[in-house]
Amino acid sequence: MKQVLMRGAFFALMFGVLYSCSVQKQTMAKNVNLPDKKEILDVSRRANQYFMNKWPDAGKEVVGKKVWPSNLWTRAVYYEGLMALYKIDPKKEYYDYAIDWSQKHNWDMMRGTYTRNADNQACGQTYLDLYEIDGKKNPERIKFVKASMDSMIASKKSDDWWWIDALQMGMPIFTKLGRITGEQKYFDKNYEMYAFTKYKHGGNGLYNPKDKLWWRDKSFVLPYKEPNGEDCYWSRGNGWVVASLARTLEDTPESDPHYKEYLQDYKDLLSALLPIQREDGFWNVSLHDPGNFGGKEMTGTALFVYGMAYGINKGLIDKKTYLPVVVKAWSAIVKDSVQPNGFLGWVQGTGKEPKDGQPLAIDKQPDFEDYGLGCLLLAASEVYQLK
């Protein structure tokens, strides 16, 4: 009888512990309120309309220190975001705006079909999206994209992605083409070039497995140090890697021999971001030196939100761990970056390191504002789908 009572007490205790843990998990989940879907759409529409009003001619050249055709990488990132917005908010005006832009560039790469520069090829991501949206009935939309990537494959060269931004500009084109055509060669070349960036550029690669973060290019690998003695990990640069891996995972079949490596790199990078999120929800431009132009910065933060929300939606990462981080960051963007008229504050201008485009401010106009909006719309498209 005594043993029976003891066993009963033990099971009661274990049940109580398990019940307590269950209640705690439910409580933690209840404490994180998902962003309101209506507000997400409102923010996205407002910011996008501000931009479309400012650029009614999708083919108009972009004038800065130089004159750029409007299918340059900054605008390409915007259209990536617009296509993501179109999936959750399919307004005809978004489709028409993207079609107009693509047609005015004859569905071709910036600087010509056979460019090897990922920045010049980035526009191809939207061409591929539009090809699929219309049921693959318009082969002219992917003719030049395919020719450009096929020329890369025909070459033995694989060192083109010498800066990590290039991963986001180029990798999704290969994997989209691989999925659309069913041809393995696109997945194989994608990994070949990714591996060169990861393991070889800069001497031993631009990825630091110790910190699970990426140096922007060879000029930032050791012995380069930030003012506080830490390695230089640029927020938006690592954001580009997060986005590139999310988009690569989306189109790469799990049976691909390199899928697991992409997934592990993606998970490792996200885990490295958790302890360095700012109290206000943003990430600093210098991930390991908050004193080097520390402060709010929208673009890197939005790319991290995009990558984390994507992982939650696809069941790739732990929702309990990452959802509070995503919600905190998204709320910060909505509260502190998106202005009533749709202008985006706290956007770091183009560059390659923390000091570029500084100082930032809520009302400062960056040299290019299109890619910042693209980052926001990518984030919004995944946050909207959270459940």
Side-chain angles (χ1 to χ4, degrees), residues 13 19 32 70 108 114 133 165 174 219 232 278 287 315 384:
L13 176 62
Y19 177 77
V32 180
S70 73
D108 204 354
Y114 299 106
I133 286 172
D165 315 33
F174 279 109
S219 59
C232 180
R278 288 164 51 92
L287 294 177
Y384 183 85

Side-chain angles (χ1 to χ4, degrees), residues 338-350:
V338 186
Q339 302 305 296
N341 67 348
F343 176 80
L344 301 178
W346 306 110
V347 170
Q348 185 184 18
T350 56

